[in-house]
Amino acid sequence: MAIKFGCHTSTWVLDYDLEVDVIDQIIDTVSESGFQGLDIQVALLGKYKNNPELFKEKLESKGVELAAITVPFTWDGDEESPEERERADFYINFLKHFPGAKMNLPARNGKSRENLLTRQLQIIKCANAVGKRAYENGITAMFHPASPPTSYFRTAEDYKVLFENLDTRYIGYTPDAGHIKAGGMEPFDVIKDNFDIVKHVHFKDCSNDFEWKTMGTGDIDFPAIVQFLYDNGYDGWIMVEEETEETKTNPDGCVQNIYKYFEKNIFPIVKG
């Protein structure tokens, strides 16, 4: 497959649990912008949640591939709750309709970072369990850390716990360049050091002052990351997203501008 480029739906709706009927508009915009694929938080599936074949028809009609679905969980115990297990298995089965599409697994933020190590180990244990079931069903799953103040995986110390306990026989890692930078780390270094478990990649821009930026105007060296991925045979998706204030009023325009940045700075790298 080599490297492909698509969009994450968080540019349009940042809240992973907010249900909004915008998916058809998003697919149209992704197609018109020139990007190839979509990573969608499952709250936005709407009418397609229980009709994956109809979703496939819509995507194919616009020349867009389903790269991944993003399925958030709380995982506040040593094992998945019955409801969480049912939810995970539902989306594992959903993905069977889309060969090659992956399962992105973020943990919801807590109210605080109290009992941090306990919560981290609970989350990882549950993510490992979902990853194993996904693997047994032919689906690739990845854990996706984030950087809000009450996230359980946001700093270098948090990532150390994550990488020491993630069962990489069954579950991979989705580095999000923006969240890595916002957590005080260098995205290039984190991706390089953990390349063997990178199964999916998210790009959004952030400054050294931890402010979300328009793609290419922050302090992340995206061309260097893509060059590294390309040189080392990364075979997967890079999904773009943005969290600037402009996305609240003009998400379509933000995506179109990201594509222009990629045309100038990123696509020439993978095209040789």
Side-chain angles (χ1 to χ4, degrees), residues 48-121:
Y48 299 120
K49 176 180 177 180
N50 293 302
N51 197 339
E53 289 302 318
L54 183 63
F55 190 39
K56 182 184 290 187
E57 289 177 14
K58 172 63 179 181
L59 290 167
E60 289 178 348
S61 73
K62 295 295 181 177
V64 175
E65 297 179 54
L66 183 64
I69 58 174
T70 293
V71 192
F73 288 94
T74 302
W75 290 323
D76 61 357
D78 291 330
E79 296 181 350
E80 301 165 85
S81 70
E83 294 78 15
E84 287 173 332
R85 185 183 178 101
E86 181 180 6
R87 173 179 167 86
D89 291 347
F90 176 88
Y91 287 112
I92 288 171
N93 287 322
F94 182 92
L95 282 170
K96 291 179 181 179
H97 296 266
F98 302 89
K102 299 175 181 179
M103 189 176 195
N104 210 33
L105 298 171
R108 294 187 178 98
N109 302 320
K111 294 181 180 179
S112 72
R113 280 166 56 91
E114 293 181 0
N115 304 311
L116 180 60
L117 182 57
T118 296
R119 288 294 295 120
Q120 289 173 332
L121 295 178

Side-chain angles (χ1 to χ4, degrees), residues 249-269:
T249 57
N250 187 27
D252 291 2
C254 291
V255 167
Q256 291 160 2
N257 287 334
I258 293 172
Y259 190 85
K260 292 176 183 176
Y261 169 82
F262 268 58
E263 276 190 310
K264 180 179 179 181
N265 300 280
I266 302 298
F267 295 154
I269 296 171

Side-chain angles (χ1 to χ4, degrees), residues 9 18 27 48 66 70 85 90 103 117 123 127 135 160 167 175 178 186-187 196 199 206 257:
T9 50
L18 183 62
I27 294 171
Y48 299 120
L66 183 64
T70 293
R85 185 183 178 101
F90 176 88
M103 189 176 195
L117 182 57
I123 289 166
Y135 175 84
K160 185 174 186 292
D167 190 345
E186 282 303 319
D196 59 332
K199 305 298 181 185
C206 181
N257 287 334

Side-chain angles (χ1 to χ4, degrees), residues 14 22 38 59 69 71 142 145 163 199 202 248 263:
L14 185 58
V22 292
L38 190 70
L59 290 167
I69 58 174
V71 192
M142 308 80 56
F163 295 136
K199 305 298 181 185
H202 284 185
K248 296 177 181 178
E263 276 190 310

Side-chain angles (χ1 to χ4, degrees), residues 9-219:
T9 50
S10 62
T11 300
W12 287 268
V13 181
L14 185 58
D15 186 338
Y16 278 175
D17 291 308
L18 183 62
E19 297 183 1
V20 183
D21 184 17
V22 292
I23 187 56
D24 286 337
Q25 171 206 332
I26 291 174
I27 294 171
D28 291 348
T29 300
V30 171
S31 175
E32 292 164 5
S33 70
F35 283 110
Q36 300 164 287
L38 190 70
D39 182 343
I40 177 174
Q41 63 249 43
V42 294
L44 300 185
L45 282 171
K47 63 189 176 186
Y48 299 120
K49 176 180 177 180
N50 293 302
N51 197 339
E53 289 302 318
L54 183 63
F55 190 39
K56 182 184 290 187
E57 289 177 14
K58 172 63 179 181
L59 290 167
E60 289 178 348
S61 73
K62 295 295 181 177
V64 175
E65 297 179 54
L66 183 64
I69 58 174
T70 293
V71 192
F73 288 94
T74 302
W75 290 323
D76 61 357
D78 291 330
E79 296 181 350
E80 301 165 85
S81 70
E83 294 78 15
E84 287 173 332
R85 185 183 178 101
E86 181 180 6
R87 173 179 167 86
D89 291 347
F90 176 88
Y91 287 112
I92 288 171
N93 287 322
F94 182 92
L95 282 170
K96 291 179 181 179
H97 296 266
F98 302 89
K102 299 175 181 179
M103 189 176 195
N104 210 33
L105 298 171
R108 294 187 178 98
N109 302 320
K111 294 181 180 179
S112 72
R113 280 166 56 91
E114 293 181 0
N115 304 311
L116 180 60
L117 182 57
T118 296
R119 288 294 295 120
Q120 289 173 332
L121 295 178
Q122 288 175 333
I123 289 166
I124 296 169
K125 185 177 180 183
C126 292
N128 285 339
V130 176
K132 187 173 187 293
R133 293 201 308 280
Y135 175 84
E136 290 168 346
N137 282 274
I139 305 298
T140 298
M142 308 80 56
F143 189 79
H144 178 295
S147 63
T150 59
S151 169
Y152 296 110
F153 298 95
R154 67 183 305 269
T155 69
E157 292 78 12
D158 300 334
Y159 276 46
K160 185 174 186 292
V161 174
L162 174 66
F163 295 136
E164 286 177 349
N165 290 279
L166 205 62
D167 190 345
T168 56
R169 294 174 300 172
Y170 305 118
I171 186 168
Y173 165 50
T174 297
D176 184 307
H179 284 307
I180 294 170
K181 172 64 80 172
M185 297 166 282
E186 282 303 319
F188 180 91
D189 294 339
V190 173
I191 292 171
K192 177 177 178 291
D193 292 346
N194 299 283
F195 177 68
D196 59 332
I197 61 170
V198 171
K199 305 298 181 185
H200 196 61
V201 177
H202 284 185
F203 274 3
K204 56 175 167 279
D205 213 346
C206 181
S207 71
N208 289 331
D209 296 326
F210 313 136
E211 180 182 354
W212 298 121
K213 293 289 188 178
T214 299
M215 186 73 70
T217 67
D219 293 301

